[in-house]
Amino acid sequence: MPKHLPTHLNPRSPLVLDTRELPRRPGVLRAVNRTVAAPADLGVELIGVPEGADLSLDLRLESVSEGVLVSGTVTGPVEGECGRCLRPITDSLVVPIQELYAYAHSTTDETTDEDEVGRMQGDLIDLEPALRDAVVLALPTNPVCREDCPGLCPECGVHWDELPAGHSHEQVDPRWAGLSQLTRQEE
Ligand SMILES: [Zn+2]
Ligand SMILES: [Zn+2]
């Protein structure tokens, strides 16, 4: 669905911010602190926030002349796997978020692209796209269980940590030679 089409936001949805209580007078602030269940697919291929996990939103909504500025942080757990050894990774994430949502028919609304500046939908703000962008940007594209993870031996798939120093497959034990040939044929 093209994203510029107006959607009918549900004001009760946890990632929709309702600004009815926020007077449209520049400088007026309102804090929003809530814990929401993480939406599905919040992350990248190898790492992300598990669906349904507690995401805590500590946000400040500020009336500005053109709309509402949302800023603050999103905190939540992340789970994934090491790109080198596939061991599970558990961590947590604190992501800063800052996004302007322009009022309909404001100068900003009429002179900017929706990719640059968010839009108010009536009194409602859909926080999810900005949240996704912020989380995805903060996640590593190549997550590792630790910076110096040596990964797996490409021959036997055993973690280098668990292999003796000097481990190598140069000399195949004659008793296994037949087996290794068989494996090669299968490949
Ligand atoms: Zn690793
Ligand atoms: Zn090996």
Side-chain angles (χ1 to χ4, degrees), residues 81-87 89 143-146 148-152 159:
E81 65 185 27
C82 175
R84 293 182 201 152
C85 73
L86 310 179
R87 280 177 181 170
I89 298 175
V144 284
C145 60
R146 57 172 213 262
D148 62 346
C149 171
L152 308 175
H159 200 287

Side-chain angles (χ1 to χ4, degrees), residues 14-17 29-34 36 56-62 69-75 95-99 101 125 127-128 130-131:
L15 288 173
V16 170
L17 306 173
L29 299 173
R30 189 171 139 244
V32 173
N33 296 294
R34 60 168 81 149
V36 304
S56 89
L57 310 181
D58 297 294
L59 305 174
R60 200 175 78 150
L61 273 54
E62 181 181 356
L69 181 68
V70 176
S71 54
T73 57
V74 176
T75 309
V95 186
I97 198 165
Q98 186 174 58
E99 184 89 2
Y101 295 88
I125 287 172
L127 188 68
E128 191 169 333
L131 174 85

Side-chain angles (χ1 to χ4, degrees), residues 9 65 75 84-85 112 117-118 124 135 149 152 163 169 174 186:
L9 293 178
S65 56
T75 309
R84 293 182 201 152
C85 73
T112 61
V117 179
L124 302 178
V135 169
C149 171
L152 308 175
L163 292 169
H169 294 264
E186 276 168 21

